Amino acid sequence: MLKTIVLAAAFVFASVAGAAELPAYPFIHVDASGSRYVAPDIGEIDFEITAGDADPEAARAVVEGRIAQVRVLAEGLGVVADDLEIRDVRKDLRKAKEGDPAVPMYDLRAGVHIKLTDMSKWRELVSPLISMPNLDGFATAFDTSQRDKVEMELMEQAMVVARKKALAMAKGAGMKLGAVTAVT
């Protein structure tokens, strides 16, 4: 009996909670979107420089050597200093899986972020990076410098589609479309 009362109360609560008041004015709800292919003119690449050794100074020397190589490569392609970010070197103690567990192994890592604003040089940047030893965890992202303009154009495109859908719905209901009162 108690289960039946609890179940009935749950159904009543769910139906009341799910009901939302309709606006006091006539409304039509439509969904629309806009799309367009835009070739990226900005490319970004993130990766880590890693080195492991029983001697942390030897591992650090490897990491510092790769940092120098990455800097030379990026600067040679015209990457400005603000678009090349090398994060602090981190040192972790690796648990021994092989060899003498009494000899600690150190892993050193430095994060790198490069923003390239001339996509014609993308291949010249990425190909050598992929070939370099001690680089790992590559992630890329692409964008356009015209993002705000493109988003505004897409919003306009979506509004045109939404208005056409709303007109068709109103016509189907035998009504005329009035002024827009809300947009989300």
Side-chain angles (χ1 to χ4, degrees):
M1 176 71 172
L2 182 60
K3 286 183 182 179
T4 305
I5 293 171
V6 171
L7 187 57
F11 282 131
V12 169
F13 178 72
S15 64
V16 170
E21 273 193 50
L22 295 176
Y25 52 87
F27 74 96
I28 294 177
H29 174 91
V30 295
D31 184 26
S33 63
S35 65
R36 180 176 139 198
Y37 175 77
V38 178
D41 60 356
I42 298 171
E44 298 182 55
I45 186 164
D46 290 277
F47 57 92
E48 282 191 327
I49 300 172
T50 63
D53 200 296
D55 178 8
E57 290 306 314
R60 184 168 186 90
V62 171
V63 170
E64 294 294 337
R66 292 292 174 259
I67 289 172
Q69 288 177 320
V70 168
R71 280 189 197 281
V72 167
L73 173 64
E75 290 169 0
L77 294 172
V79 175
V80 296
D82 288 346
D83 291 341
L84 173 62
E85 178 184 350
I86 299 178
R87 297 172 199 102
D88 291 338
V89 176
R90 301 175 314 278
K91 177 172 75 172
D92 298 316
L93 188 59
R94 186 186 329 165
K95 292 182 181 179
K97 292 181 183 175
E98 301 172 5
D100 186 359
V103 178
M105 286 293 289
Y106 295 94
D107 284 326
L108 277 78
R109 298 177 177 277
V112 179
H113 175 84
I114 302 172
K115 179 179 179 182
L116 190 63
T117 55
D118 181 357
M119 288 301 292
S120 69
K121 296 179 181 177
W122 181 254
R123 184 175 298 220
E124 292 175 67
L125 173 68
V126 174
S127 292
L129 290 174
I130 291 174
S131 300
M132 277 186 199
N134 306 100
L135 303 189
D136 192 21
F138 289 93
T140 58
F142 300 94
D143 202 354
T144 176
S145 58
Q146 301 293 313
R147 175 172 286 285
D148 291 340
K149 179 182 177 225
V150 170
E151 285 179 352
M152 292 299 291
E153 290 170 358
L154 292 174
M155 183 64 70
E156 290 172 17
Q157 186 183 49
M159 291 299 294
V160 168
V161 171
R163 182 146 185 90
K164 285 180 183 177
K165 286 182 176 182
L167 283 168
M169 289 175 73
K171 184 178 179 182
M175 304 178 95
K176 290 196 181 242
L177 192 61
V180 174
T181 56
V183 175
T184 59

